[in-house]
Amino acid sequence: MASSKIITLRSSEGEDFGLDVVAAMELLVIKPMIEELQVIKPMIDNAIPLPNVTSKILAKVIEYCKKHVETPKAEEHAVNDELKAWDADFVKVDQATLFDLILAANYLGIMSLLDLTCQTVADMIKEMSGNEICEIHLLIKERSLEKICKIYNIKTKLTLQSSDGMFFYVDVAVAMESQTIKHMIEDRCADNAIPLPNVTSKILARVIEYCKKHVETPKAEEHAVNDELRAWDADFVKVDQATLFDLILAANYLEIKSLLDLTCQTVADMIRGKTPEEIRKTFLRKHDFTPEEEEEVRRENQWAFE
Amino acid sequence: MQAQTQSRKLQLNSSMARWSQLPKDLLLLVAQRLNTHFDLLCLRSVCSSWHACVPSRPHPLPSRFPILPTNGTSWGLYLSRRTILCLGLPESHCQPTIGSWLIKVEEDVPDMAHLVNPLSTFQFKHLPPNFPKTFDFSRFRVSELGQEYVLQYMNHRPSGEADEGSLHKGKVAFYSTSNGEDFVMLTIHVSGKLAMFRHGNKRLKTIDDMPSCDDLIFFNGEFYAIDNTGRTVVVAIGSPPVLSLIADSVIGGNKKSLVESNGELLMVNTYFDQGIHGIMNRAVRFKVFKLNQIGHMWVEVENLGDRILFLGEKSTFSAVASEFCGCDGNCIYYTNSFFFPNDQEDDAYTGIGIFNLENGNLGPLSSFPNYSKVIWPPPAWVYIDNIGDI
């Protein structure tokens, strides 16, 4: 039928947008719905809800689809060049909107838009300052875009080198749990492998494991999630005292506050309520007091009762 | 084989030696999380470098310091601080038949201390004959269970007025900053009202909004007060102090007490049985409550599990029953001015009773040897000179 049917798309805020059927077929996720609709009695009056897409983004997406449907994929370079220029303008938006477009393109199955937006981000990162790179990676982490970025070779990982020469390939968001590494990224010292001369591979592996877990777990309102993380932390510090010592030093050097708090608290808990002799047995060999110090310690500990 | 064990020993020794080289600022981060005097003392006693790094006392307040009176009379009051400790043997020497010892100490002059009954103000004047002349705390595991503050007369006690002995008989709750520069004291005035004294004040100030106050406590960084109906408030220190309601009244019961147990705030409701002439109040049963903060109410607790509550004359505290040999939890030690029939005058257990939450039985402490020996006499291991290796 020649008449152009209009599909109604509803944004997450409940706003309705009309889109020509042909243009709507660009949205792969909608395509099967439309094909079904043509068989079943038209339910064209009902809007298709898109709960993951805001009005602002939906409007842009529709704009994109319309343009691309209107412009024939011609043999002539001139037309394609014009479309390319239009695309370049289309993605001149703020970072947050760009990332929302990536998410929407992925969700709605608009492959050409996904290609366009991801390539734009990949190109942007090459030109960015260290601070901007940190911000971008936080946005990627926030919107869970690591997988997509991987496909488009958007650099989301960096290399850390331990004191004993081992290389660790980690997500930038995970590495940024360390303030020390974050500053290096900001100062653009992270383009090559970051050397960590104070941390052995054994300890670095553990620290990375800690940071990964903490980055992956959202700090939720629900106590259940936080309780689970606390339980994981409690397990994490069940190590021998030599490893615990190294973890404290590493947490301090890498400036990972939550790990430093956790390890210091663990040591305090191990010490509380024990005698000095018991503490020595756990952590040290013998005391090394000079005779004067020994006398002072004796005086502090000995009380006379009347 | 020998070479292997040798090198392993070396490895252990060298890794262990590193802890004494823990950078000062990191050691202090650990020390910050140990907030009792004895824990810090213990840390200082471990090795030379830790001794140099860790500060000696959490706060420099002396055990006794003067508080001025309200009405400008010539006599003065001072506040004395006592610490309730649970002493135990190090783990290597623990056996099922050895239990911990609960004591309360007051340090009058540096290095000279008094042993006081943990639940009353009765001082153990007659120490057993072979009680060690100097008591070495570093041999034992020391946990601080609480602090007690008592207002006492400085020198001269005015005579004649019937009531002056009870002017400040009430409980005291106290807080000071870690450097001792500022402090706040809350007490129950003879009128039953709350009274507050801050560093720099000239007199006690009564707080009118809380008449017939039964108990006070400093818990989780705040002052709590409860009246004889169970109505409980948080007292925010300021000029004027502000009271915010935390829990509504409960029905029944005669005297309310506040106690901390396992990080929670509990309330104990004491039910009295009026004596023959209605004068002597004898406790006949107790109910325990915990705080439902959202609902602003006290909710009854049926079972304390492994915990024991201690309601002393001037302080309350709690402990874990498994510390003490032969004791089960879910019970309350309490003080009652009503003397039990088999109390001896000035006995270590005078006026102290114990209540079992499970079956509701109660009786004088002297009738329960497993529970009375928690307090007195000192356990056998106190006398042994050489516990373990040095």
Side-chain angles (χ1 to χ4, degrees):
Chain A
M1 295 198 275
S3 64
S4 50
K5 291 208 186 104
I6 304 287
I7 304 285
T8 312
L9 301 172
R10 184 166 291 160
S11 77
S12 60
E13 290 120 312
E15 210 180 319
D16 285 348
F17 293 79
L19 187 60
D20 181 81
V21 168
V22 177
M25 299 280 264
E26 289 283 296
L27 285 67
L28 289 180
V29 79
I30 305 276
K31 198 156 170 276
M33 288 190 215
I34 298 173
E35 282 160 357
E36 253 175 70
L37 287 171
Q38 290 184 339
V39 174
I40 303 167
K41 199 72 166 75
M43 300 197 296
I44 305 284
D45 292 339
N46 291 346
I48 300 176
L50 301 171
N52 290 7
V53 191
T54 62
S55 300
K56 172 182 168 189
I57 299 300
L58 189 51
K60 283 224 41 112
V61 165
I62 287 171
E63 190 191 335
Y64 177 90
C65 293
K66 277 194 178 139
K67 178 72 180 180
H68 276 246
V69 158
E70 283 162 11
T71 310
K73 298 327 172 251
E75 291 296 332
E76 307 112 48
H77 289 284
V79 180
N80 287 339
D81 284 345
E82 199 209 304
L83 189 58
K84 275 206 192 85
W86 187 93
D87 280 349
D89 251 1
F90 180 78
V91 284
K92 282 196 181 128
V93 289
D94 62 271
Q95 277 175 19
T97 307
L98 188 55
F99 278 94
D100 285 335
L101 281 171
I102 293 180
L103 279 171
N106 187 42
Y107 168 67
L108 297 169
I110 311 168
M111 297 334 294
S112 61
L113 180 57
L114 189 59
D115 283 345
L116 173 64
T117 44
C118 285
Q119 192 57 56
T120 309
V121 173
D123 292 339
M124 269 165 66
I125 288 185
K126 293 197 187 103
E127 307 298 309
M128 278 180 162
S129 77
N131 283 332
E132 290 171 311
I133 290 183
C134 284
E135 276 172 34
I136 283 273
H137 279 102
L138 285 175
L139 271 172
I140 293 176
K141 173 200 150 194
E142 234 176 75
R143 286 163 165 74
S144 305
L145 288 171
E146 290 90 341
K147 287 208 179 93
I148 297 182
C149 291
K150 202 168 173 179
I151 298 171
Y152 288 89
N153 273 327
I154 293 174
K155 185 169 181 248
T156 58
K157 286 192 187 283
L158 51 75
T159 314
L160 304 173
Q161 186 181 13
S162 66
S163 60
D164 45 344
M166 274 189 70
F167 291 96
F168 293 80
Y169 202 44
V170 288
D171 276 338
V172 175
V174 169
M176 290 212 299
E177 288 283 290
S178 152
Q179 290 301 306
T180 309
I181 294 180
K182 183 163 181 277
H183 292 319
M184 287 190 197
I185 299 175
E186 285 166 355
D187 296 339
R188 299 233 60 168
C189 306
D191 295 350
N192 302 318
I194 299 180
L196 301 171
N198 292 7
V199 193
T200 62
S201 54
K202 172 183 169 199
I203 297 302
L204 188 53
R206 289 197 144 262
V207 170
I208 289 171
E209 189 191 340
Y210 176 88
C211 293
K212 251 195 201 151
K213 179 70 179 180
H214 277 246
V215 161
E216 280 163 16
T217 310
K219 270 34 143 205
E221 290 296 334
E222 308 113 46
H223 287 286
V225 178
N226 289 336
D227 284 344
E228 202 205 302
L229 188 61
R230 250 194 292 269
W232 188 93
D233 279 352
D235 254 354
F236 181 78
V237 283
K238 284 190 180 136
V239 291
D240 60 88
Q241 46 81 23
T243 308
L244 189 58
F245 183 87
D246 287 329
L247 280 173
I248 294 180
L249 291 184
N252 186 44
Y253 168 65
L254 294 169
E255 282 181 71
I256 306 170
K257 184 171 190 299
S258 62
L259 182 57
L260 189 59
D261 284 344
L262 175 64
T263 45
C264 286
Q265 185 64 51
T266 306
V267 175
D269 292 341
M270 282 164 79
I271 285 175
R272 189 174 297 115
K274 300 245 170 50
T275 65
E277 183 55 34
E278 285 179 303
I279 297 175
R280 269 180 230 130
K281 282 209 178 100
T282 310
F283 294 105
L284 305 167
R285 205 180 1 169
K286 279 179 176 307
H287 75 77
D288 50 354
F289 289 120
T290 64
E292 295 83 39
E293 283 169 339
E294 206 172 335
E295 181 51 40
E296 197 180 328
V297 167
R298 211 196 315 270
R299 255 192 305 112
E300 282 173 14
N301 273 293
Q302 288 182 352
W303 294 23
F305 287 107
E306 61 170 9
Chain B
M1 190 59 170
Q2 217 200 15
Q4 256 187 359
T5 40
Q6 277 255 2
S7 73
R8 190 164 174 270
K9 256 197 198 157
L10 271 172
Q11 223 180 33
L12 258 168
N13 279 342
S14 65
S15 73
M16 281 180 155
R18 288 196 297 155
W19 280 96
S20 58
Q21 306 307 316
L22 189 67
K24 179 174 175 180
D25 52 345
L26 296 180
L27 183 61
L28 287 178
L29 279 182
V30 174
Q32 267 169 30
R33 289 165 163 84
L34 297 166
N35 41 22
T36 70
H37 166 64
F38 282 94
D39 282 334
L40 286 176
L41 176 60
C42 187
L43 208 59
R44 274 170 64 80
S45 311
V46 172
C47 69
S48 181
S49 44
W50 288 16
H51 190 249
C53 290
V54 178
S56 57
R57 263 194 191 256
H59 54 85
L61 274 181
S63 251
R64 295 182 174 192
F65 49 97
I67 304 277
L68 296 167
T70 53
N71 50 7
T73 52
S74 59
W75 43 270
L77 294 166
Y78 67 88
L79 194 67
S80 90
R81 185 182 76 233
R82 297 157 184 172
T83 312
I84 299 142
L85 302 169
C86 182
L87 291 186
L89 285 175
E91 184 153 341
S92 48
H93 298 92
C94 269
Q95 286 162 46
T97 50
I98 294 184
S100 299
W101 184 30
L102 212 61
I103 64 173
K104 187 161 75 186
V105 293
E106 178 177 356
E107 209 184 335
D108 277 340
V109 246
D111 308 332
M112 182 67 79
H114 291 135
L115 273 181
V116 185
N117 186 311
L119 281 131
S120 65
T121 49
F122 174 80
Q123 236 180 64
F124 292 119
K125 289 216 168 68
H126 307 294
L127 295 174
N130 42 354
F131 194 80
K133 283 209 177 63
T134 51
F135 196 83
D136 189 355
F137 279 101
S138 68
R139 289 164 51 210
F140 308 113
R141 287 191 165 183
V142 183
S143 327
E144 209 175 280
L145 297 183
Q147 304 249 314
E148 174 178 286
Y149 295 92
V150 179
L151 277 171
Q152 291 175 341
Y153 294 105
M154 198 132 44
N155 296 306
H156 154 69
R157 213 170 159 167
S159 54
E161 295 139 65
D163 237 340
E164 105 280 345
S166 59
L167 182 69
H168 294 285
K169 214 163 64 171
K171 284 273 284 286
V172 173
F174 184 84
Y175 164 74
S176 79
T177 55
S178 51
N179 54 12
E181 263 169 29
D182 196 6
F183 68 80
V184 182
M185 184 194 86
L186 234 62
T187 185
I188 303 174
H189 193 258
V190 66
S191 61
K193 291 189 190 163
L194 266 180
M196 185 175 89
F197 185 88
R198 270 196 95 151
H199 176 69
N201 285 162
K202 290 219 174 75
R203 35 190 320 166
L204 272 178
K205 294 189 183 144
T206 51
I207 299 171
D208 292 324
D209 312 330
M210 187 79 168
S212 40
C213 187
D214 255 0
D215 202 7
L216 307 162
I217 195 171
F218 185 74
F219 168 75
N220 246 3
E222 296 186 288
F223 285 103
Y224 290 74
I226 188 168
D227 72 12
N228 63 2
T229 70
R231 182 176 152 258
T232 313
V233 295
V234 164
V235 183
I237 303 304
S239 334
V242 175
L243 304 185
S244 354
L245 186 70
I246 284 287
D248 293 318
S249 308
V250 294
I251 298 175
N254 300 103
K255 183 167 187 288
K256 314 291 185 283
S257 309
L258 293 171
V259 57
E260 166 169 3
S261 173
N262 208 14
E264 279 190 304
L265 183 62
L266 300 181
M267 184 264 280
V268 179
N269 201 355
T270 310
Y271 289 73
F272 289 133
D273 176 26
Q274 301 297 76
I276 301 167
H277 303 290
I279 301 171
M280 294 284 259
N281 288 330
R282 179 177 62 160
V284 288
R285 75 175 188 280
F286 299 82
K287 279 194 184 169
V288 180
F289 296 80
K290 71 174 184 212
L291 187 58
N292 175 335
Q293 273 200 323
I294 301 172
H296 277 221
M297 55 192 202
W298 291 108
V299 174
E300 189 167 352
V301 171
E302 304 282 326
N303 194 322
L304 289 168
D306 195 27
R307 298 204 68 90
I308 304 179
L309 303 182
F310 296 82
L311 306 180
E313 274 178 41
K314 302 288 184 181
S315 60
T316 60
F317 56 94
S318 63
V320 173
S322 50
E323 284 269 2
F324 311 110
C325 166
C327 289
D328 291 324
N330 204 22
C331 60
I332 302 177
Y333 284 64
Y334 64 95
T335 48
N336 207 178
S337 48
F338 175 88
F339 277 32
F340 292 104
N342 44 356
D343 273 352
Q344 305 296 315
E345 251 332 304
D346 273 357
D347 188 67
Y349 314 130
T350 301
I352 303 177
I354 184 156
F355 172 77
N356 182 330
L357 247 102
E358 186 165 338
N359 53 27
N361 291 344
L362 54 71
L365 187 60
S366 46
S367 306
F368 300 93
N370 274 346
Y371 291 82
S372 59
K373 72 177 198 239
V374 164
I375 294 178
W376 195 260
W381 48 259
V382 164
Y383 300 91
I384 301 173
D385 243 348
N386 237 341
I387 298 199
D389 26 325
I390 298 300

